[in-house]
Amino acid sequence: MTPPPESLPPIIGETKTVSRGRWAIHLVLIASFLFMVAAIGMNRGESEQPALTHSVRGLLRVCAGEIVIFGGVFALAWLASRASVDDLLLRWRGNVMPILLGIGYSVALRIAVGVVALLVAVPFLLSHSMTKDSIDEFVTKNRPRVETAVDVAALRDNPAYLWLSLTVVSFIVAGLREELWRASFLAGMKGVWPKYFSSRAGQIGAVIIGAIIFGLGHLAMGGMAAALAGLLGVGLGLIMVLHRSIWPAVLAHGFFDATSMALLPWGLEMAKHLSKH
């Protein structure tokens, strides 16, 4: 009598199929996280306390809370989908290349955001009298309300607050957390609607949808800030899709935010100086 065949080991590299329903749970959790952040920001209203508080201790407490909350949501989403390293684009590709790409892309993104801001501002100013008062009014109404996020005086006067903002806030709370959110969103869109979001063009479409949600998450800083954040989200998402890795986008985001934090006190002081002349 022939013995029953032994069960074969799993094929190396074989992917496990995950149901669209489980991917849908993943996507709902990830998308709802940023809507929750936006709602909290809007509910803060005219609070004089910036989101990152006025002190080093408060800043560390807020950063820890942000990481823990996102970590919890991300863990629940992952438990639903069991997204792989490749699903989340977590592979580091090319020695120091992601670092160099991050630096280069951060500069390119700053130029792109500046150009778009000028393209928005110039038609408005040309349609009004180009007086000092009209320019001041436009800047006052449309500049990002950075004071809702960070204490500018603390950035200028407290070295520990500044360096934590340049490192932990810029590269971990903003760069890593937000780009991991974006990669999770792209994976969820592909998992729920593979027919539409598996191709390169489909992934770009998912990037745009994610960027709109990302922009809404910045509404507490004003309409212009939300629009520019959405534009930044498109750029970072395209970097991620192009390189099939989150790391160039993480580093580009981190360098972008770090230079913004470093220049913020000087930029606001310059704006106040110009408004007096």
Side-chain angles (χ1 to χ4, degrees):
M1 182 175 180
T2 305
E6 297 182 3
S7 59
L8 295 175
I11 299 173
I12 297 175
E14 184 179 14
T15 58
K16 183 178 179 180
T17 302
V18 178
S19 71
R20 292 172 64 184
R22 292 176 63 180
W23 272 116
I25 295 171
H26 168 109
L27 182 59
V28 167
L29 287 167
I30 289 298
S32 63
F33 170 77
L34 211 57
F35 284 120
M36 178 183 68
V37 170
I40 292 172
M42 295 302 293
N43 287 334
R44 294 186 72 252
E46 299 298 324
S47 172
E48 295 181 359
Q49 174 89 338
L52 296 177
T53 77
H54 300 291
S55 66
V56 169
R57 179 178 296 180
L59 185 149
L60 289 172
R61 184 176 63 251
V62 170
C63 289
E66 295 277 356
I67 292 169
V68 168
I69 292 170
F70 174 74
V73 174
F74 177 80
L76 290 173
W78 181 84
L79 285 171
S81 66
R82 298 302 176 97
S84 68
V85 168
D86 288 322
D87 287 330
L88 297 174
L89 307 178
L90 289 174
R91 294 192 186 278
W92 181 280
R93 302 182 186 278
N95 297 323
V96 300
M97 186 55 66
I99 299 173
L100 299 178
L101 289 170
I103 295 171
Y105 280 130
S106 71
V107 175
L109 288 170
R110 187 167 300 281
I111 293 171
V113 168
V115 169
V116 170
L118 281 176
L119 291 175
V120 172
V122 168
F124 174 86
L125 294 174
L126 289 177
S127 65
H128 294 71
S129 57
M130 290 282 288
T131 64
K132 177 179 176 300
D133 289 340
S134 66
I135 295 174
D136 288 345
E137 180 184 3
F138 178 84
V139 171
T140 300
K141 287 183 176 180
N142 294 281
R143 77 170 181 83
R145 295 195 294 272
V146 294
E147 297 86 350
T148 64
V150 65
D151 187 332
V152 179
L155 285 176
R156 183 183 62 243
D157 302 328
N158 189 330
Y161 189 98
L162 172 64
W163 283 106
L164 284 170
S165 299
L166 298 184
T167 53
V168 175
V169 174
S170 296
F171 284 92
I172 298 178
V173 177
L176 179 58
R177 184 188 62 141
E178 293 182 6
E179 297 318 307
L180 189 54
W181 175 89
R182 199 181 319 279
S184 300
F185 180 83
L186 295 181
M189 294 289 282
K190 179 180 177 181
V192 176
W193 295 290
K195 178 179 179 181
Y196 301 104
F197 296 110
S198 294
S199 66
R200 178 65 63 86
Q203 287 282 280
I204 292 173
V207 163
I208 294 171
I209 296 170
I212 293 171
I213 300 173
F214 186 69
L216 291 174
H218 292 75
L219 274 175
M221 296 178 66
M224 180 66 77
L228 294 179
L231 175 66
L232 183 62
V234 171
L236 291 167
L238 291 178
I239 292 169
M240 196 178 291
V241 170
L242 175 64
H243 294 283
R244 306 302 302 160
S245 172
I246 72 167
W247 299 110
V250 168
L251 293 167
H253 195 158
F255 285 122
F256 184 97
D257 281 13
T259 53
S260 297
M261 292 277 195
L263 294 173
L264 192 54
W266 174 83
L268 290 181
E269 194 64 32
M270 182 64 68
K272 290 179 182 178
H273 177 75
L274 292 174
S275 66
K276 295 177 181 178
H277 295 79

